[in-house]
């Protein structure tokens, strides 16, 4: 049975009710996990208010600002987990960012600063958060990140984010190799295209979704809740033999040649 009772789970990356992290948080909660939620703070506090209202029904016992570009916020997030929970079982890394300019047009126009930003926020942050989580996963654990097919195939307009996702998937393997002896498993879910705040920055996202709906074996794309169900599985003992993998939750699109 999929049962996460007694597990402490930190979920990053909820911006609104379309966020994949919101689908994951709901399914972890439904499976019995105790949730901690982080949000990306802004100067006016709008994001804090919006995310707080959204997640209230899930009764998070930690709710913290965490911009992964801010080392102090990352450190205080994990200090709060240590203090309040004593141990961490689950880390959901569900965030990414690239400048909109770098998500359309010629890939060869990617700027050095755009490349660095995408890699820092979308790729390095997994290494950073996993490193901070490791000493708190004293009874083993599960780390799940989100990737996309654009990390292994050339998808129009995905550009620099494809390079970031390739690095992310590779980081999953290195982290899994390092942390396996501590019974910490690290996996990625490669989700099919879903309309969200982040994906709306990718040029032609609606065309991508339409194409998937016509071509994928299931003739549709996936929902945030379907991704959440796979995340719950990857965080549970039902997946105890799986680590270092990229699991496709994409209605089968990845297998198609045409
Ligand atoms: P989203 O916009 O809802 O989520 C992206 C999150 O990243 C937001 O909550 C945002 O606040 C957060 N974020 C951005 N910069 C940050 C920073 N510096 N520090 C902390 N958080 C920061 O969009 P989403 O589509 O749910 O994206 C979640 C993940 O899923 C991303 O890794 C994305 O690449 C991946 N993904 C999305 C799709 C899709 O089609 N939507 C498909 C495959 C993978």
């Amino acid at each position: 049975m999929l049962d996460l009772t007694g597990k402490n789970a930190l979920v990053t990356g909820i911006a609104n009710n379309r966020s994949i992290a919101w689908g994951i948080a709901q399914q972890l909660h439904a499976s019995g996990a105790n949730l901690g939620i982080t949000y990306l703070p802004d100067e006016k506090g709008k994001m804090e208010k919006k995310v707080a209202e959204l997640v209230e029904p899930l009764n998070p016992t930690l709710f913290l600002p965490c911009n992964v570009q801010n080392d102090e916020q990352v450190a205080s997030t994990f200090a709060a987990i240590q203090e309040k929970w004593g141990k961490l079982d689950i880390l959901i890394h569900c965030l990414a960012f690239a400048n909109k300019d770098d998500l359309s047009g010629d890939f060869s126009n990617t700027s050095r600063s755009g490349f660095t930003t995408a890699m820092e926020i979308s790729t390095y942050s997994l290494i950073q958060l996993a490193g901070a989580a490791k000493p708190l996963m004293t009874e083993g654990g599960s780390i799940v990140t989100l990737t996309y097919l654009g990390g292994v195939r050339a998808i129009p307009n995905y550009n620099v984010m494809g390079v970031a996702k390739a690095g992310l998937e590779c980081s999953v393997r290195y982290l899994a190799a390092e942390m396996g002896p501590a019974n910490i498993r690290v996996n990625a879910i490669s989700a099919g295209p879903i309309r969200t705040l982040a994906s709306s920055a990718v040029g032609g996202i609606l065309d991508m979704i339409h194409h998937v709906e016509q071509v994928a074996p299931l003739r549709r794309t996936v929902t945030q809740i379907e991704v959440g169900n796979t995340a719950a599985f990857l965080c549970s003992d039902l997946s105890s033999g799986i680590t270092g993998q990229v699991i496709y939750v994409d209605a089968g699109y990845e297998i198609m040649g045409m």
Side-chain angles (χ1 to χ4, degrees), residues 166-251:
L168 185 78
E169 293 180 18
C170 189
S171 301
V172 163
R173 292 186 281 275
Y174 277 94
L175 290 169
E178 174 194 324
M179 298 191 184
N183 198 27
I184 299 169
R185 298 182 295 108
V186 188
N187 292 289
I189 295 173
S190 187
I194 300 174
R195 280 187 75 176
T196 63
L197 198 61
S199 72
S200 66
V202 181
I205 179 71
L206 293 181
D207 293 340
M208 272 160 73
I209 292 175
H210 187 59
H211 178 68
V212 167
E213 285 168 350
Q214 291 181 321
V215 171
L218 298 181
R219 296 291 188 274
R220 61 178 179 84
T221 188
V222 293
T223 66
Q224 290 85 339
I225 292 293
E226 287 179 303
V227 176
N229 284 335
T230 301
F233 163 71
L234 286 173
C235 294
S236 79
D237 291 341
L238 294 184
S239 62
S240 56
I242 301 175
T243 194
Q245 298 301 312
V246 177
I247 312 278
Y248 283 83
V249 180
D250 67 345

Side-chain angles (χ1 to χ4, degrees), residues 12-24 38-41 47 51 65-70 73-74 93-98 117 120-122 125 128-129 145-150 158 161 165 168 189-200 202 205 208-209 221-222 224 227 249:
T12 66
I14 299 178
N16 56 38
N17 64 359
R18 285 179 181 263
S19 294
I20 292 176
W22 170 235
I24 295 174
T38 66
Y39 60 90
L40 176 63
M47 189 64 99
V51 179
C66 186
N67 181 339
V68 294
Q69 290 185 294
N70 182 325
Q73 283 178 13
V74 172
H93 174 272
C94 194
L95 57 95
F97 180 82
T117 300
E120 182 190 349
I121 299 180
S122 314
S125 62
Q128 176 190 25
L129 296 186
T145 186
L146 266 294
T147 186
Y148 177 60
L149 185 61
Y158 204 61
M161 193 54 83
K165 292 305 191 191
L168 185 78
I189 295 173
S190 187
I194 300 174
R195 280 187 75 176
T196 63
L197 198 61
S199 72
S200 66
V202 181
I205 179 71
M208 272 160 73
I209 292 175
T221 188
V222 293
Q224 290 85 339
V227 176
V249 180

